[in-house]
Amino acid sequence: LGQSDTLDDELLSVCVMKRGRKVLAGSQTGVLTLFDYGKWEDPSDRFPGHPSSIDALVKVDEDTVLTGSSDGIIRVIGVLPNKMLGVVGEHGDMPVERMALSPDRTALATASHDHTIKLWDVKYLFEEGGAGLRAAGDGDDDEGDASLRAELGGAAVDGGDDS
């Protein structure tokens, strides 16, 4: 079907969005790269902003994706327009390697190098208004991310101590 040109950045994660018209790839340097489906030669857009690699992607809807990063933070990202919408939670300083939504789309499961699987309540992402109406967090301000996470309702359910 196709193949992108070789890029300067290692691509680590991928998902199809915008009703099959866009392919989104997470990279080693923390850039989300967008391709028009079928036009693989050059990316159609780039969205820098993650301070670390983007190791996992989960599509929420046609305009929203969750990213799992090597800085341990799970972010909510709006796609076209590209915007950081919030933070679901974090695995401390350990990378988030894998993510999956539950079949009923109420929980997000994440696996990390911290040797835990965490379950996050993400029902709020699918309620009327959803992620698109949330305030943006920049991911660089721990205190701001914590308050935004509290506002968004993200909570870990791992049965253990979060420290």
Short mmCIF file of all heavy atoms in Angstrom, two decimals, residues 12 27-31 49-55 68-72 75 140:
data_model
loop_
_atom_site.label_atom_id
_atom_site.label_comp_id
_atom_site.label_asym_id
_atom_site.label_seq_id
_atom_site.Cartn_x
_atom_site.Cartn_y
_atom_site.Cartn_z
N LEU A 12 8.14 5.47 16.73
CA LEU A 12 7.93 4.46 17.76
C LEU A 12 6.49 4.00 17.91
O LEU A 12 6.23 2.94 18.48
CB LEU A 12 8.41 5.01 19.12
CG LEU A 12 9.85 5.49 19.17
CD1 LEU A 12 10.14 6.14 20.50
CD2 LEU A 12 10.81 4.34 18.90
N SER A 27 7.43 9.94 17.77
CA SER A 27 8.86 9.77 17.49
C SER A 27 9.73 9.76 18.75
O SER A 27 9.30 10.13 19.83
CB SER A 27 9.33 10.89 16.57
OG SER A 27 9.41 12.10 17.29
N GLN A 28 10.98 9.40 18.53
CA GLN A 28 11.99 9.35 19.59
C GLN A 28 12.25 10.72 20.19
O GLN A 28 12.53 10.84 21.37
CB GLN A 28 13.29 8.77 19.02
CG GLN A 28 14.41 8.65 20.02
CD GLN A 28 14.14 7.60 21.07
OE1 GLN A 28 13.52 6.58 20.81
NE2 GLN A 28 14.59 7.85 22.28
N THR A 29 12.14 11.78 19.39
CA THR A 29 12.44 13.13 19.88
C THR A 29 11.22 13.85 20.44
O THR A 29 11.31 15.03 20.79
CB THR A 29 13.06 14.00 18.77
OG1 THR A 29 12.13 14.10 17.69
CG2 THR A 29 14.38 13.43 18.30
N GLY A 30 10.06 13.18 20.52
CA GLY A 30 8.88 13.80 21.10
C GLY A 30 8.04 14.59 20.13
O GLY A 30 7.21 15.41 20.53
N VAL A 31 8.22 14.34 18.84
CA VAL A 31 7.43 15.02 17.81
C VAL A 31 6.36 14.07 17.30
O VAL A 31 6.64 12.90 17.01
CB VAL A 31 8.33 15.48 16.64
CG1 VAL A 31 7.50 16.05 15.50
CG2 VAL A 31 9.36 16.49 17.12
N GLY A 49 6.52 19.16 21.03
CA GLY A 49 5.95 19.56 22.31
C GLY A 49 6.16 18.57 23.43
O GLY A 49 6.16 18.94 24.59
N HIS A 50 6.31 17.30 23.11
CA HIS A 50 6.61 16.33 24.15
C HIS A 50 8.10 16.45 24.48
O HIS A 50 8.92 16.48 23.58
CB HIS A 50 6.32 14.91 23.68
CG HIS A 50 4.86 14.58 23.59
ND1 HIS A 50 4.05 15.10 22.61
CD2 HIS A 50 4.09 13.78 24.36
CE1 HIS A 50 2.83 14.62 22.78
NE2 HIS A 50 2.82 13.82 23.84
N PRO A 51 8.44 16.49 25.76
CA PRO A 51 9.85 16.61 26.12
C PRO A 51 10.65 15.32 25.94
O PRO A 51 11.87 15.35 25.97
CB PRO A 51 9.80 17.02 27.59
CG PRO A 51 8.50 16.49 28.09
CD PRO A 51 7.56 16.55 26.93
N SER A 52 9.94 14.21 25.74
CA SER A 52 10.59 12.91 25.60
C SER A 52 9.88 12.12 24.50
O SER A 52 8.87 12.55 23.97
CB SER A 52 10.50 12.13 26.92
OG SER A 52 11.10 12.84 27.97
N SER A 53 10.40 10.93 24.21
CA SER A 53 9.85 10.11 23.14
C SER A 53 8.38 9.77 23.38
O SER A 53 7.92 9.68 24.52
CB SER A 53 10.66 8.82 22.98
OG SER A 53 10.54 8.01 24.13
N ILE A 54 7.66 9.56 22.27
CA ILE A 54 6.25 9.17 22.31
C ILE A 54 6.20 7.69 21.96
O ILE A 54 6.28 7.31 20.80
CB ILE A 54 5.42 10.02 21.33
CG1 ILE A 54 5.59 11.50 21.66
CG2 ILE A 54 3.95 9.59 21.39
CD1 ILE A 54 5.09 12.44 20.58
N ASP A 55 6.08 6.86 23.00
CA ASP A 55 6.21 5.42 22.83
C ASP A 55 4.89 4.72 22.54
O ASP A 55 4.89 3.58 22.08
CB ASP A 55 6.83 4.82 24.09
CG ASP A 55 8.20 5.40 24.38
OD1 ASP A 55 8.94 5.68 23.42
OD2 ASP A 55 8.53 5.60 25.57
N GLY A 68 1.54 8.13 25.32
CA GLY A 68 2.34 7.63 26.42
C GLY A 68 3.79 7.94 26.12
O GLY A 68 4.29 7.57 25.05
N SER A 69 4.44 8.62 27.02
CA SER A 69 5.77 9.14 26.74
C SER A 69 6.81 8.53 27.66
O SER A 69 6.50 8.00 28.73
CB SER A 69 5.74 10.67 26.90
OG SER A 69 6.94 11.25 26.50
N SER A 70 8.07 8.66 27.26
CA SER A 70 9.15 8.11 28.09
C SER A 70 9.38 8.94 29.35
O SER A 70 10.12 8.52 30.23
CB SER A 70 10.44 7.99 27.27
OG SER A 70 10.89 9.24 26.86
N ASP A 71 8.74 10.11 29.46
CA ASP A 71 8.81 10.85 30.73
C ASP A 71 7.76 10.36 31.72
O ASP A 71 7.64 10.90 32.82
CB ASP A 71 8.68 12.36 30.50
CG ASP A 71 7.34 12.78 29.94
OD1 ASP A 71 6.46 11.92 29.68
OD2 ASP A 71 7.16 14.00 29.72
N GLY A 72 6.99 9.33 31.35
CA GLY A 72 6.01 8.72 32.25
C GLY A 72 4.64 9.37 32.24
O GLY A 72 3.75 8.93 32.96
N ARG A 75 -0.67 11.97 28.07
CA ARG A 75 -1.24 13.26 27.68
C ARG A 75 -2.44 13.09 26.75
O ARG A 75 -2.52 12.11 26.01
CB ARG A 75 -0.18 14.11 26.98
CG ARG A 75 0.95 14.53 27.89
CD ARG A 75 2.04 15.27 27.09
NE ARG A 75 3.08 15.78 27.96
CZ ARG A 75 4.13 15.08 28.39
NH1 ARG A 75 4.28 13.83 28.01
NH2 ARG A 75 5.02 15.63 29.19
N ASP A 140 5.15 20.76 31.07
CA ASP A 140 6.44 21.10 31.66
C ASP A 140 6.32 21.54 33.11
O ASP A 140 7.30 21.63 33.82
CB ASP A 140 7.11 22.24 30.88
CG ASP A 140 7.50 21.80 29.48
OD1 ASP A 140 7.80 20.60 29.32
OD2 ASP A 140 7.50 22.64 28.59
#
